[in-house]
Structures are given as structure tokens and as C-alpha cells.
Amino acid sequence: MELEEKRESSERLRLNKKIMWGITIISILLAMFYIDKQKVYKEEKPPMPTVLLGEQELHPILSTYTWNAGKIEKEIKDLTKLIEYQHAEFRENLNIEFPKDQQPIFIARGNYYNGGIQVEPYQTLYSNFTLLRNESRKEIYSIKAYWKDGKRAEYIIPVNIKEVSPEKNYLARNKGYHSLLIVGDTDKNVIDELYSEPLHFLFETSNSLGLKDVNDIYPELQVKEEPSYILFDHKKEVFRAASLEELLKYMKENTYSKKSTIEGKVTKLDRNLGVIQVDDKIFTAADMEEVKVGQKISLEVIQLNKDIPYYRAIENINVIKAPDTVFSAAKWLAKDAEKVSILAIGPSAFTEQFKSPNKEDFKLVENIEIQETLTLKNGEAITDAAVYVFNDKELVFQRDEFDQLLNYLFEFEMLMPARKERNGL
């Protein structure tokens, strides 16, 4: 009996050892799998965008980025020694597309300058438009993309652009612009005189030649008298006059203008950059004194150039409904002029996102106030999801989605240098 007990005890010991070995091996394998997974996770990089100049694909270079492993720094000055400028002929459009499942929340666009991206405000705000110059040059386009959870990436696109000359060099090189050929001696600074009138023709060049020279160089123009003023767009001659007065008359009668009335709610305001957003439409205006976020307004807008979306003017602003005065309270305002405060209202499913947001995403946020409801001065109550952003002076942004807020915060960060420049700081 005793012998049998010893045998059973020995078998249990061997079984326990096997179990322990099995657990140890499985633990080691799981640990190795976890380490490999973490390594892959940390080595992940931001997605690469597809960049097209017209139909030609350009190849961006990934620069500084913050991804799963934290911030990765590259010495741009060393990087730029190694890059090769991609040769490309000028095209009017530069398109930037990220993979559909990895779309950034916000993209800032500009040029690489002095160690970083120099943002072009209007080309960033009008995200589907890039204004390029048709001239031979080396250029380093630069973009910065923002995703949530502190993910960021900068890309540079070095291009050696070859000018595409028009069929005749008296034509304007760029779509939306004009050139002027002056035939005959004149002491007048014609372009300055033309710009003294309230016209919206964009000029890029003007040349002056004598009658004999112009017929020797451009016989197809068949110029018979001087002075002559010949106006061209990027494709053809559009008008010819024997006097400056005739040219001015033509320009006044043929200035492109398309008037429209836009009605909606002011959702964003940037007085430094002169930007108003009505629902999802961006406008620039010189006189914004009476405009406030939350207003329902009507804008009379005149588009001044069919090819350049931000080349337009607001002729009249009519306030249909004023915002509720509850949003004018000083308690909502940020104290720091370079930061903002946030008021988030709505059910917990919405406001939960504001309780522990990513610090990098909210680094310019000074304070967050969270409320389930807000009673307005008119007695109504806000219960649906809504977010309000205040600078140190007023309400500057209001929407109802978290990603829309992130887009605003990223935009606010990237356009800060442009605001300071406008203020002479």
C-alpha cells in the first residue's frame, strides 16, 4: 500500500512538472508574440499620400512624424542634402489623396521653409484648391497631416518644375490671369493706372514694344497703329484698343462677376485672417465687425474670378437672427490669447470624449466645461450634442461633432503663425 502511494505521488509530481513546463513554454510564446506585436506596432508608420501634379505622380518623402512609438525626428537639413528633386512640367492642379481608411482629420499645406512647413492660409482653408505658378523653379511643397490620438506626420515633396510656355509668349501663363501688350512709346505706368480702377482683372505681365518691333516679332498680330493696347488671357487675345480709355471701358463692361446670396448660420470666425464660415462654406471679408458665431445671416457674395475660389468679395451682410446672449458671458472665455476654452453640452455618450482627451490633440485648450444641458436666455434648453469654442474675446466656433472640433483645433494650431504675422507680432 505504501509503495503504491509513493508511485502515485511520483506520477503526480511528473505530471505537475509537465504542466509547469507547458505553462512556461506557453507563457514564453505569448510573451514573444506580444513583444513582436508591440515591435510591429511601434514600427508602424503614417500612410503615404498619393500626390498628383496634373496627371504626373510625385513621390512625397515622410519627414517628422508622431505615430505609435512617439515622436520621430529627422534632421531636415540632412534630409534635404540627400533628396533628389523630381522633374515635372507645370500643371494647374496639385492633388493630395490619402488612403480612404486612413484619411487625416486635417491637412495643412504650404512650402518647406527655414526648417519647417510655412502654411499658406487660404490654400489650407480652401482644402481642395492649390494655386501654383507657371514658372521654372525648384520648390519643396510641404504638408502636415493630423489624425486623432496625437498622430501627426509631415511630408515634403521636392519638385523641379519646368515652365510650360504658352503658344506665344505674349499670352498669360496662368489660368485666371491676363497679360497686356502695349504697342507704342508711353511714359505711363499702365498697370498701376488700371489697378486704380475698381476692376478685378488679374495681371501677371505687361510688355511695351514699338510698332516695327511688334510686327517683326509677332507678325500674326497684324498691329497697324500705335499706341495699341492688346489684352490676352492664357489662351488668346481677348481685346484690342487704340487708347487706354477704350481698354478701361472694355474691362469695366467685361469684368467677371457672379453674384449669389448665401444664407445660413455662422459656425466659425477668425477676425485676424478675415475668415467667416457659414455652415460649411468659407468666405473672406474685410468688414466683420458685426459678425458673430451663432448668428443666422444672409451674405451677398460676388465671385470675381471663375478660376480662383477665394477671389471673391462680400458686398453685404444681413443679420437675420442674433445668437443667444448666454454665449457672451465672460466666464466662457479663455484667459490666454493663444489658447481656447471649450463648452461641451449633451448626453454622456457625447461628452465622455471630453473628460480625458488626448493631451496632444487638446494642447491649445485652456479649459473644458461639460454640461448635460444649457438653458439659454430666451428660456430654451440645449440638450443635443453641441460644442462651443471661445478665444479670449468671444465665441469663435460651434459645431456638433467631436471630429469637427478636432479639425478646428488642428487648424487653429497650424494657422497661429499666420495670425501673428497679420497682427505684426
Side-chain angles (χ1 to χ4, degrees):
M1 187 72 174
E2 187 178 343
L3 182 62
E4 186 175 340
E5 287 178 355
K6 287 182 178 179
R7 187 183 304 114
E8 288 178 357
S9 176
S10 176
E11 287 177 356
R12 281 197 300 272
L13 183 61
R14 284 197 297 272
L15 180 60
N16 288 338
K17 284 183 177 179
K18 288 180 180 178
I19 292 171
M20 290 301 296
W21 274 107
I23 291 173
T24 302
I25 291 169
I26 290 171
S27 298
I28 291 170
L29 290 173
L30 287 173
M32 291 174 64
F33 176 76
Y34 176 78
I35 291 169
D36 286 345
K37 190 173 181 180
Q38 284 296 103
K39 184 179 179 182
V40 170
Y41 177 77
K42 289 184 176 181
E43 289 178 351
E44 283 181 3
K45 292 183 178 180
M48 295 300 291
T50 299
V51 179
L52 296 175
L53 181 61
E55 295 181 354
Q56 179 176 346
E57 184 171 357
L58 302 177
H59 302 288
I61 298 170
L62 179 61
S63 176
T64 302
Y65 64 89
T66 305
W67 210 247
N68 297 329
K71 191 168 186 179
I72 305 297
E73 295 282 4
K74 288 188 179 181
E75 288 290 338
I76 298 296
K77 61 184 178 182
D78 295 334
L79 181 63
T80 51
K81 290 178 182 177
L82 302 174
I83 62 174
E84 293 185 7
Y85 283 81
Q86 303 162 66
H87 291 272
E89 284 194 344
F90 168 79
R91 293 294 182 269
E92 292 167 0
N93 298 314
L94 180 71
N95 295 314
I96 301 166
E97 292 289 341
F98 282 84
K100 287 184 178 180
D101 59 342
Q102 294 178 301
Q103 285 289 332
I105 290 175
F106 174 74
I107 297 176
R109 298 187 295 174
N111 291 78
Y112 182 79
Y113 176 74
N114 199 26
I117 178 174
Q118 186 174 36
V119 176
E120 208 298 317
Y122 293 144
Q123 292 186 48
T124 294
L125 292 166
Y126 292 83
S127 56
N128 296 321
F129 176 77
T130 303
L131 181 62
L132 305 174
R133 306 188 314 276
N134 182 13
E135 58 186 58
S136 296
R137 68 197 186 281
K138 282 187 175 181
E139 196 86 77
I140 300 180
Y141 298 122
S142 182
I143 60 175
K144 184 169 183 176
Y146 285 73
W147 295 260
K148 62 175 59 176
D149 299 327
K151 293 184 176 183
R152 314 279 186 269
E154 292 184 15
Y155 307 83
I156 61 172
I157 309 163
V159 190
N160 190 351
I161 295 177
K162 180 183 178 183
E163 176 186 343
V164 176
S165 298
E167 185 179 346
K168 295 292 182 179
N169 62 12
Y170 47 70
L171 297 174
R173 292 183 308 231
N174 293 288
K175 189 176 181 180
Y177 284 74
H178 291 84
S179 65
L180 181 64
L181 178 60
I182 305 165
V183 182
D185 294 331
T186 177
D187 295 329
K188 294 179 181 178
N189 191 331
V190 174
I191 295 297
D192 284 351
E193 190 164 342
L194 293 177
Y195 271 137
S196 69
E197 297 290 327
L199 303 173
H200 302 285
F201 273 67
L202 295 177
F203 285 98
E204 62 178 20
T205 58
S206 66
N207 295 294
S208 181
L209 292 170
L211 183 61
K212 182 179 185 305
D213 288 337
V214 79
N215 281 310
D216 287 343
I217 300 170
Y218 308 123
E220 70 277 9
L221 293 178
Q222 299 181 11
V223 183
K224 293 182 169 48
E225 60 180 340
E226 60 177 1
S228 289
Y229 300 87
I230 310 176
L231 186 68
F232 304 90
D233 63 16
H234 68 297
K235 289 183 177 180
K236 62 186 184 305
E237 176 181 334
V238 295
F239 184 70
R240 184 179 302 205
S243 69
L244 191 57
E245 289 71 26
E246 288 180 67
L247 177 61
L248 278 168
K249 182 182 177 183
Y250 169 83
M251 292 171 64
K252 287 178 181 178
E253 293 174 350
N254 291 274
T255 293
Y256 175 84
S257 64
K258 182 180 179 183
K259 293 188 178 183
S260 59
T261 300
I262 307 294
E263 187 175 301
K265 180 180 283 188
V266 180
T267 55
K268 182 171 67 178
L269 185 63
D270 192 321
R271 297 192 189 278
N272 292 326
L273 296 177
V275 171
I276 303 171
Q277 183 167 315
V278 179
D279 295 328
D280 291 316
K281 299 180 180 69
I282 298 285
F283 302 94
T284 56
D287 184 7
M288 300 168 53
E289 188 174 349
E290 301 302 319
V291 179
K292 297 181 183 297
V293 169
Q295 286 174 333
K296 184 176 181 181
I297 65 173
S298 173
L299 300 177
E300 292 179 16
V301 180
I302 178 170
Q303 183 73 38
L304 304 172
N305 189 302
K306 62 184 177 182
D307 300 308
I308 303 177
Y310 55 75
Y311 202 69
R312 58 188 174 189
I314 295 175
E315 291 194 321
N316 186 46
I317 300 176
N318 179 38
V319 178
I320 300 172
K321 184 179 180 182
D324 195 275
T325 56
V326 73
F327 298 109
S328 302
K331 65 179 180 179
W332 307 122
L333 302 179
K335 294 180 175 62
D336 188 332
E338 295 186 11
K339 292 196 173 183
V340 296
S341 67
I342 291 175
L343 169 62
I345 301 168
S348 58
F350 175 70
T351 58
E352 192 68 28
Q353 304 171 95
F354 295 89
K355 292 181 179 178
S356 56
N358 184 280
K359 290 182 179 179
E360 188 65 21
D361 292 349
F362 277 61
K363 68 181 181 181
L364 295 182
V365 177
E366 183 180 275
N367 180 61
I368 303 174
E369 176 77 18
I370 299 173
Q371 296 185 188
E372 187 175 341
T373 63
L374 178 68
T375 302
L376 303 177
K377 294 291 186 181
N378 64 12
E380 295 178 7
I382 298 174
T383 58
D384 293 333
V387 59
Y388 302 85
V389 179
F390 302 81
N391 64 12
D392 61 325
K393 295 181 177 64
E394 62 183 325
L395 176 64
V396 291
F397 177 83
Q398 72 172 66
R399 294 308 286 261
D400 56 9
E401 292 182 12
F402 190 74
D403 280 5
Q404 292 172 333
L405 169 67
L406 289 181
N407 184 85
Y408 176 79
L409 293 178
F410 301 154
E411 176 191 292
F412 182 77
E413 177 186 339
M414 284 306 299
L415 296 180
M416 183 64 75
R419 291 189 191 92
K420 289 182 177 180
E421 185 178 346
R422 295 290 173 92
N423 286 333
L425 299 176

